[in-house]
Structure formats: structure tokens, C-alpha cells
Amino acid sequence: MNEQAPEMPTDSPPSGFLWGAATSSYQIEGSPLADGAGPSIWHRFAHTPGRVLNGDTGDIACDHYRRWREDVTLMASLGLNAYRFSVAWGRILPEGTGRVNQPGLDFYRHLVDALLEQGIEPMLTLYHWDLPEALDARGGWASDASPGWFADYARILYRALGDRVRLWITLNEPWVITAGGYLFGDLAPGHRSQSETPIVAHNLLRAHAAALASGRAEGIERIGLAVNLEPQYPASPLADDIAATARRDAFINRWFLDPVFFGRYPAEMEAIFGTAWPEYSASELDALRAPPDFIGVNYYSRSVVRADPTEQPVGARRVRQDARPHTAMDWEVYPQGLTHILAWIQGRYGNPPVYITENGAAFDDPPPVAGRLHDRQRVAYLRSHLRAASRALRRGVDLRGYFAWSLLDNFEWSYGYAKRFGLVRVDPVDRQRLIKDSGRFYRDAIRRYEGRA
Ligand SMILES: N=[N+]=NCCCCNC(=O)[C@@H]1[C@H]2[C@H](O)[C@@H](O)[C@H](O)[C@@H](CO)[C@@H]12
């Protein structure tokens, strides 16, 4: 058996299924201030000593801002029929509001046109963490004005690209934006405030609702929300561990989806944040109800949970499953969790359309040999998770597509370039692209699934 051949069930996916790869602006583009762009909070954060491993920044990254034509050709050679990317807000509105920077709009219009010419469906994420620095100086996502800023920015893009982009995502991972940027402080803007955190989360939900409404007004029909979801499993049947697992499930998985689908927060949130949890009126909560046309699921791993009062604010911690394989991020490889979380969405939120908008793994890749890079662990990860997605399809989940994270090795936030998720290697010195075995595997899997193998 050819070890690269995908051992996957032969049941083919629904017609029109999207096979893509995903990236984000700050992680791949480089040239953060080119052609009139304004700096983002990640430009400042990365240039702040001690914030990013090895002092890495996104100043060059994958140099995609200049190599985007080459990268579109690369996507076509992989047989992708879709590509998920994000727009850098500061390229469009250097000050975050007000004056539009036409060269920024032109960059994304050229990219979209090149994708369409290759038969690749663009999926545009409006916000993937790179808030304009000028808006952070005005309070950022903690500001009551932030939903309006976001809706105005979204409207400019809907009007500029709405005739050629059919799939839109408002926010990428509001949980990570909130927890990483405002609670734990490992991501930009690097705050550590229990009182600020629920306010930021509420403003992000208001911003999603405002961008959805402004999209509807512009006739945009398919607007989603991308969330990182991580199934939580109790470490024991002890009541304390069961309760801790429910709290962590609310904190990670239901904090944002329940408001947009039900117009209410999970009951556990008040217990988690205590007096820092604001009082909300019925109308404030109902204003959060803004069900997306699809859910983007970013799946990486699961957690096995034990109660731990020292781990605040949830009073729960992840228990490492030492006997199981882990990625270079120390995340357990657990493909079953993908099937479980997709079935959970199906049951809880009424079987909405779903795209797996991110799934992949960082491993310490071996060096290339004779023009090949044998990333066996990543091939195994992809194979097992594509099979897990196939099992969800068999259970009737309305799964519309799969986007591998990531197309390219790129800037992995506070880890810099030390963690590599790409199907394609990017040389740290000259940024030359080299398709890894995982990229070849994915290409062959697409052909087989689409019956072209
Ligand atoms: N324990 N544990 N488990 C998993 C926790 C996942 C939270 N991080 C993400 O989802 C980020 C998402 C981001 O969109 C992308 O920009 C990042 O590059 C990838 C890789 O890090 C993922």
C-alpha cells in the first residue's frame, strides 16, 4: 500500500464540498506598513521585547504580500478549490476608521480575482486578530464604540468585494481574541484583566451582530463565525471533575455560540467570573442573537479535565494524556474529538451548515532531502482527521468543507516561526516554498474523494 495513499472511506462528500487551506494576514503577508497601511496591535506587540519567542515579527513572514501570485499558483497545484484568508484592517483603514487606503483594497481585489481565475473559492475573514493600533489607542475591543468601528470596516469590504466573494467570516476565534488578548495576556494587546475580559467578549459579540446586519443590508448571503472548539472530557466520574468539565466547556465552547444562537450566555459564566461578570438586561442579551449562516469550526485537540481551584478563573485544568501522541504545541492528537464536536453542534444548534475552517498540526519537521520533506506525523494527523470528518458526514452533519491549517509555515503568534503548521515549507532564509509530503497527501486525498484518482 502506498503510504501516501489516503486510507479513507470511499463515501464521497456532498457535491460542492470545499477543499481548502487557511491562513491569516499578519501570519503570512509581511510588509505590514506597505502602501499606506497603518500598524496593527500585532505589529506593536511583536516589536515589544519579550512578547514573541526569539524576537520574531511579522515584518517579512512568508512575504505573501509580494509573492501572492506564486502562492495562488501553488494552491492550484495542490488541487484546492477554496482558500481562506483574512484582511488586515489597517491596510483598508490605516487609522481604523475614516480614510480608506485604496492600495490596500486593491491588494485584496487582485488576490480574489487571481483565486477566481484558478477556480478557487475565496473565504474572507474580516478579523483575524490584527486590530489597527489607532483603535487600540481609543480603547480597542474594550471600547463601547468597537462594534460600530467593525461594522463600518466590514461594510467597506462588502461593497468592494461582495460581487466576487461569496463566503465571509466576521471574527476568527472570539474566545482566543478575548482569553489570549485580555485575560491570560499571551496575545496582543497583552492585557491581564478579569474585569475587562467579559466586556471585550460582549463587544465582540455585538461586533459580530453589527457586521452580520451590515452584510445583510449589502445583500451578502453567507456570513459565518469561526470558533475554536475543544471537546472537554472529565478525568474521573468525581462530581468535582464533572462540574469543572462543564465550566470549562462553557468557557471554551459555549461562551460565544450560545449568545449568537440563543441570545443568552451559559449559566456557568457568572460562576467563573464572579463579581467581574456584568449585569445584562434582557434587551442587551437579545441583541446578541445573530445566528451566522454557517459555523466555522477550528479544531485542533480535546481536553481531559480535572477540578483545580488554583487554576483560575475556571477552577479546572487540562490533564496531559501522556500515553497518547502530541503535536509540537503539546496538543493531544485526538481525531475522535472532531467527530464529537461536529455532532455536538448538530444537536445543540439545529444542524447549521458547518465548515471546518481550521484543522492541522505543528510538528518539528525533518529537513528537506533531495527536494522532498517527509512530514509523516502531519500526514498521519491529516489522514485521521479527514476520516473523523467523514464519520461526521455519515452522521448527517451538514459539513460543507474542510480547510487545512495552514497552507504555509507561518508566524505562529507568540511562538514566532518556531512552530510550523504548513502543508508547504517556507524557508526561513529565502522564503522559498517547498510542498511537503502532507501537501502531496492532501492533493491526492482531494482527488480520491472527488473521484478523480
Ligand atoms: N490545548 N489546546 N488546544 C487548542 C487551542 C487552540 C487555540 N488556538 C487556535 O485555535 C489557533 C488558531 C488560529 O486561528 C491560528 O491563527 C493559529 O495559527 C492556529 C494554531 O495555533 C490556531
Side-chain angles (χ1 to χ4, degrees):
M1 174 72 164
N2 168 0
E3 66 169 332
Q4 299 312 333
E7 313 151 10
M8 283 179 294
T10 52
D11 53 340
S12 52
S15 70
F17 191 84
L18 296 184
W19 295 97
T23 64
S24 84
S25 42
Y26 190 77
Q27 292 182 274
I28 69 164
E29 290 178 358
S31 307
L33 306 178
D35 302 326
S40 74
I41 56 174
W42 266 97
H43 180 69
R44 183 198 63 206
F45 195 78
H47 282 272
T48 305
R51 290 297 200 175
V52 177
L53 197 60
N54 304 322
D56 289 342
T57 75
D59 287 356
I60 301 175
C62 306
D63 199 23
H64 175 76
Y65 187 74
R66 299 188 314 154
R67 298 180 187 224
W68 59 273
R69 291 179 185 83
E70 168 191 351
D71 289 335
V72 173
T73 303
L74 190 63
M75 294 175 214
S77 74
L78 289 173
L80 306 186
N81 64 15
Y83 172 57
R84 177 180 175 234
F85 65 98
S86 77
V87 172
W89 188 335
R91 294 196 193 282
I92 311 304
L93 292 161
E95 297 301 308
T97 59
R99 178 181 60 84
V100 172
N101 178 47
Q102 191 58 43
L105 271 182
D106 293 345
F107 170 72
Y108 293 105
R109 184 180 289 115
H110 295 148
L111 172 64
V112 165
D113 288 347
L115 290 167
L116 293 172
E117 278 164 28
Q118 294 286 346
I120 299 172
E121 184 79 47
M123 179 184 275
L124 188 156
T125 303
L126 288 161
Y127 185 71
H128 198 128
W129 306 1
D130 44 0
L131 185 73
E133 171 62 26
L135 293 181
D136 194 54
R138 294 163 64 184
W141 288 113
S143 166
D144 193 51
S146 54
W149 300 335
F150 185 61
D152 292 344
Y153 156 62
R155 188 178 302 107
I156 291 165
L157 282 170
Y158 293 142
R159 288 178 178 170
L161 298 173
D163 62 335
R164 55 199 84 179
V165 172
R166 294 187 297 181
L167 290 167
W168 296 77
I169 288 172
T170 56
L171 302 170
N172 179 71
E173 302 195 345
W175 183 85
V176 177
I177 297 169
T178 303
Y182 294 86
L183 183 61
F184 303 125
D186 56 318
L187 303 180
H191 298 188
R192 294 186 180 191
S193 164
Q194 278 215 23
S195 58
E196 208 176 30
T197 296
I199 293 165
V200 163
H202 195 75
N203 286 338
L204 286 167
L205 286 161
R206 290 172 60 218
H208 162 75
L212 195 70
S214 70
R216 289 285 181 265
E218 298 297 327
I220 306 295
E221 293 178 346
R222 295 164 73 187
I223 304 173
L225 174 67
V227 287
N228 57 290
L229 294 178
E230 187 184 282
Q232 306 292 307
Y233 302 82
S236 85
L238 288 173
D240 282 356
D241 288 346
I242 301 288
T245 303
R247 284 197 305 275
R248 204 162 187 271
D249 178 59
F251 182 60
I252 293 179
N253 297 321
R254 291 181 275 125
W255 188 357
F256 294 91
L257 288 180
D258 278 10
V260 298
F261 278 98
F262 306 143
R264 67 168 189 269
Y265 283 112
E268 296 89 340
M269 300 316 292
E270 202 156 350
I272 290 169
F273 284 97
T275 53
W277 188 256
E279 290 286 322
Y280 294 109
S281 68
S283 63
E284 282 176 315
L285 292 174
D286 197 57
L288 301 183
R289 194 196 305 262
D293 299 307
F294 63 87
I295 297 178
V297 174
N298 294 354
Y299 176 81
Y300 289 94
S301 183
R302 68 158 177 178
S303 279
V304 176
V305 179
R306 187 182 303 289
D308 182 346
T310 68
E311 284 288 318
Q312 286 309 316
V314 183
R317 67 178 172 85
R318 192 158 59 95
V319 179
R320 193 178 193 282
Q321 303 303 291
D322 295 339
R324 291 188 51 85
H326 285 67
T327 72
M329 299 293 281
D330 202 35
W331 297 346
E332 181 190 354
V333 177
Y334 193 74
Q336 307 90 307
L338 177 56
T339 311
H340 295 167
I341 207 72
L342 292 172
W344 174 75
I345 288 171
Q346 180 187 29
R348 186 175 182 83
Y349 300 111
N351 200 20
V354 172
Y355 292 87
I356 296 168
T357 37
E358 289 181 28
N359 177 242
F363 291 107
D364 298 329
D365 290 335
V369 174
R372 294 292 297 267
L373 195 157
H374 304 301
D375 55 336
R376 290 184 176 78
Q377 291 172 294
R378 191 172 291 102
V379 170
Y381 183 98
L382 284 177
R383 178 187 289 117
S384 62
H385 285 77
L386 286 173
R387 294 176 72 175
S390 185
R391 285 195 291 274
L393 273 168
R394 274 200 230 110
R395 292 168 70 155
V397 170
D398 187 1
L399 182 60
R400 306 279 178 98
Y402 176 93
F403 291 78
W405 184 271
S406 180
L407 175 70
L408 303 168
D409 289 339
N410 61 49
F411 179 81
E412 180 48 39
W413 308 114
S414 53
Y415 289 96
Y417 300 101
K419 305 295 181 185
R420 300 169 157 268
F421 281 83
L423 299 175
V424 175
R425 179 180 187 270
V426 176
D427 186 276
V429 176
D430 63 13
R431 272 67 188 192
Q432 283 304 308
R433 278 73 164 139
L434 174 67
I435 297 178
K436 304 177 188 176
D437 284 0
S438 56
R440 296 163 184 266
F441 165 81
Y442 190 49
R443 179 192 58 203
D444 297 345
I446 294 170
R447 287 176 184 160
R448 166 119 15 164
Y449 257 118
E450 291 300 311
R452 293 195 305 270

